[in-house]
């Protein structure tokens, strides 16, 4: 329900600034989480048998054909762990990479959460478009993290 009415120009400015703020704040928050926070096998990060070690994601979405075009947000942060390629093939490197895919996946799941707030200053149709944007923008990253983590899980087993 829209509670704040702004002129179109200012609504667009607020939308852009709000998304920038949410993306950056959530990214920084997740970057500050210690690696131990991702050592669990939480329901959202667990790779399930039906995912076929990531094969399902490639089968459904042809992940290999487009994942290299995604921007790695880690390049924006000094402490970020770049996931464009493996940093090594030993078990420690693979575990670190898998843990960082959990961090990235959590970041993108949490980046969807603020979308309903946009109903506060946008008309309902635009509010729904913001939800579509949040899901549409973040799902390719989530799918890629699950695909990569599934492959790593297979390599480690």
């Amino acid at each position: 329900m829209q509670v704040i009415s702004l002129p179109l120009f200012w609504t667009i400015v607020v939308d852009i600034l709000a998304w920038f703020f949410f993306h950056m704040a959530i990214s920084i928050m997740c970057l500050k989480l210690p690696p131990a926070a991702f050592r669990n096998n939480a329901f959202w990060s667990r790779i399930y048998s039906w995912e076929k070690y990531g094969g399902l994601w490639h089968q459904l979405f042809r992940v290999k054909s487009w994942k290299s075009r995604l921007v790695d947000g880690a390049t924006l942060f000094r402490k970020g762990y770049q996931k464009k390629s493996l940093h090594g093939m030993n078990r420690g490197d693979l575990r670190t990479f898998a843990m960082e895919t959990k961090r990235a996946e959590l970041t993108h799941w949490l980046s969807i959460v603020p979308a309903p707030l946009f109903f506060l200053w946008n008309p309902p149709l635009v509010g729904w478009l913001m939800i579509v944007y949040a899901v549409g923008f973040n799902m390719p990253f989530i799918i890629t993290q699950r695909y990569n983590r599934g492959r790593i899980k297979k390599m480690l087993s």
Side-chain angles (χ1 to χ4, degrees):
M1 174 163 97
Q2 186 176 357
V3 295
I4 301 168
S5 184
L6 300 169
L8 179 61
F9 173 79
W10 289 111
T11 301
I12 293 168
V13 168
V14 170
D15 286 343
I16 291 167
L17 291 175
W19 274 124
F20 179 78
F21 170 78
F22 290 132
H23 286 304
M24 291 299 109
I26 291 166
S27 296
I28 291 167
M29 179 192 72
C30 287
L31 256 178
K32 290 185 181 281
L33 291 172
F38 301 100
R39 289 201 183 108
N40 63 7
N41 208 13
F43 75 93
W44 63 268
S45 66
R46 184 177 307 133
I47 298 298
Y48 295 93
S49 59
W50 53 265
E51 292 180 84
K52 303 175 193 168
Y53 294 107
L56 173 75
W57 303 113
H58 180 66
Q59 186 179 3
L60 292 175
F61 301 107
R62 300 286 174 230
V63 176
K64 283 190 238 182
S65 67
W66 50 262
K67 74 176 191 142
S68 64
R69 291 187 225 138
L70 294 177
V71 175
D72 187 347
T75 58
L76 299 173
F77 303 98
R78 195 170 357 123
K79 289 180 65 178
Y81 182 93
Q82 294 186 24
K83 294 166 292 304
K84 281 286 186 186
S85 61
L86 289 173
H87 294 233
M89 293 297 287
N90 67 50
R91 293 182 81 70
D93 292 330
L94 293 174
R95 283 190 186 107
T96 299
F97 193 96
M99 184 272 299
E100 291 295 340
T101 66
K102 289 181 181 183
R103 182 187 310 275
E105 184 178 347
L106 178 63
T107 301
H108 287 284
W109 279 119
L110 291 176
S111 293
I112 296 171
V113 173
L117 294 175
F118 287 76
F119 282 98
L120 294 175
W121 63 87
N122 283 287
L125 176 61
V126 177
W128 285 109
L129 288 174
M130 292 297 161
I131 289 176
V132 169
Y133 160 77
V135 172
F137 177 82
N138 287 289
M139 285 313 291
F141 293 95
I142 292 167
I143 289 167
T144 300
Q145 301 315 316
R146 298 197 66 77
Y147 169 76
N148 286 337
R149 198 163 56 258
R151 292 175 58 215
I152 290 169
K153 182 180 178 182
K154 187 174 186 177
M155 292 168 75
L156 287 169
S157 63

